Amino acid sequence: MKAVVLGAAAGGGFPQWNSNAVACRRARAGDAAARPRMQASLAISGDGQRWFVINASPDLRQQIEAQPFIQPRQGLRSSPIEGVMLTGADVDAIAGLLHLRERQPFTVYGSDRVLAVLEANPIFDVLARDCVRRERVALNAPFEPRHVDGSACGLEVELFDVPGKVALYLERGSSPADLQGEPGDTVGVEVRARGERLIYIPGCAQVTERLKQRLAGASVVLFDGTLWEDDEMIRLGLGPKTGARMGHMSVSGDKGTMAAFRDIPVRRKIFVHINNSNPILLDDSVERRLVMKAGWEVAYDGMEVSP
């Protein structure tokens, strides 16, 4: 199994286009301790030649240009990208599909709930149906993605429900029940090959006992690292919502991710989907030292995370 981080930041990227906060200014100035990051996405492969992308971020075109291994290699038009797996219907997970509209064959994999969103929005019909397949994936049911030529990829993949919320643009109320959504709105992806297990969860509102059982013994877990503190956006004057309201856990605190993982045996733990306000993005921050002391890594674009 091969796996490479294409983007490590949350929606908006780092630096965010309209942010003049200190960390974003440092990133724009070329500060080595404030490495820029594109919006969250992961590439996986069973042979190191043909790839599947988990989440098509709005930065997908730039991610392809930044990573030669997913650039065209033969003929006038080609691509090593043979499929896209979706963990939700948020803009930062599906908008990049529009970059892949030039009649290149591949398959979009997603839950019933996520693919229904694509079906309901005619803009995604720019992905020609005779070239781009849409495959509904049942939750908690292992499957093997296929290459465009129909051959096996050597990876066993499973989508599973995680606590989260409906996409922002699909919110129709403000009550917890309205926001929570239904199974399939927010999913994690488990990839298995030769006894190794990689789990990718870029969005999660709570680590439940059931989720702990799935995570236990994983070779690599890439997990939601959106905010350092729940009230971070409010406290910094960047927005009116808490992390919990946005469907994300906080990294720190008694109910945060680091605390939740203390009793979960995982070989390698990596934070992804990190908001530009989160100080763990800065190599020289106190918060970065704290996560490293707790056994966590902070993802960056181009990071190889193969088990």
Side-chain angles (χ1 to χ4, degrees), residues 48-306:
Q49 298 298 315
R50 293 170 290 186
W51 294 81
F52 297 86
V53 172
I54 305 179
N55 287 344
S57 90
D59 296 325
L60 183 54
R61 182 183 177 280
Q62 295 95 312
Q63 289 167 346
I64 291 170
E65 293 307 306
Q67 303 295 340
F69 71 90
I70 50 173
Q71 293 173 4
R73 302 193 195 103
Q74 57 190 11
L76 291 176
R77 288 191 177 185
S78 65
S79 174
I81 297 175
E82 306 230 337
V84 177
M85 303 173 193
L86 303 174
T87 68
D90 291 286
V91 169
D92 53 353
I94 66 173
L97 290 170
L98 301 179
H99 290 304
L100 306 179
R101 65 189 181 274
E102 281 80 15
R103 296 194 58 81
Q104 180 67 36
F106 67 97
T107 302
V108 178
Y109 299 90
S111 69
D112 281 336
R113 295 280 294 176
V114 172
L115 291 190
V117 173
L118 301 188
E119 295 286 346
N121 192 331
I123 194 171
F124 291 102
D125 287 337
V126 297
L127 300 173
R129 299 295 184 121
D130 60 333
C131 287
V132 181
R133 295 178 56 247
R134 299 184 187 184
E135 183 170 326
R136 284 175 166 78
V137 178
L139 300 182
N140 306 310
F143 72 100
E144 184 174 17
R146 312 299 288 188
H147 293 138
V148 170
D149 63 8
S151 62
C153 73
L155 302 174
E156 184 178 72
V157 177
E158 187 174 342
L159 303 187
F160 58 94
D161 196 56
V162 298
K165 63 178 287 296
V166 296
L168 174 63
Y169 61 92
L170 296 176
E171 292 181 6
R172 296 295 181 265
S174 57
S175 72
D178 292 329
L179 299 174
Q180 186 176 6
E182 298 181 16
D185 282 325
T186 304
V187 304
V189 181
E190 180 169 339
V191 186
R192 298 185 285 265
R194 297 184 179 182
E196 302 287 356
R197 297 170 55 223
L198 178 149
I199 299 178
Y200 184 71
I201 307 176
C204 185
Q206 181 185 7
V207 175
T208 61
E209 287 302 318
R210 183 175 182 179
L211 182 54
K212 284 185 178 183
Q213 292 173 11
R214 179 177 288 273
L215 294 167
S219 309
V220 182
V221 172
L222 298 103
F223 195 85
D224 183 353
T226 305
L227 300 180
W228 176 253
E229 294 179 303
D230 187 56
D231 66 346
E232 183 174 303
M233 300 287 288
I234 299 172
R235 180 170 43 80
L236 296 176
L238 300 175
K241 298 178 182 178
T242 63
R245 170 62 178 78
M246 295 187 291
H248 295 286
M249 294 180 66
S250 301
V251 170
S252 65
D254 294 339
K255 297 182 179 180
T257 301
M258 289 194 295
F261 270 76
R262 283 178 189 148
D263 60 349
I264 306 175
V266 172
R267 187 191 309 165
R268 189 178 180 193
K269 301 173 293 187
I270 305 169
F271 283 119
V272 293
H273 196 273
I274 308 160
N275 196 59
N276 66 89
S277 61
N278 191 334
I280 69 172
L281 285 173
L282 303 175
D283 294 350
D284 55 3
S285 69
V286 171
E287 292 81 1
R288 170 67 74 84
R289 291 194 292 272
L290 289 174
V291 299
M292 292 177 65
K293 184 177 180 180
W296 284 84
E297 301 173 63
V298 175
Y300 55 86
D301 298 4
M303 182 183 193
E304 296 187 10
V305 295
S306 306

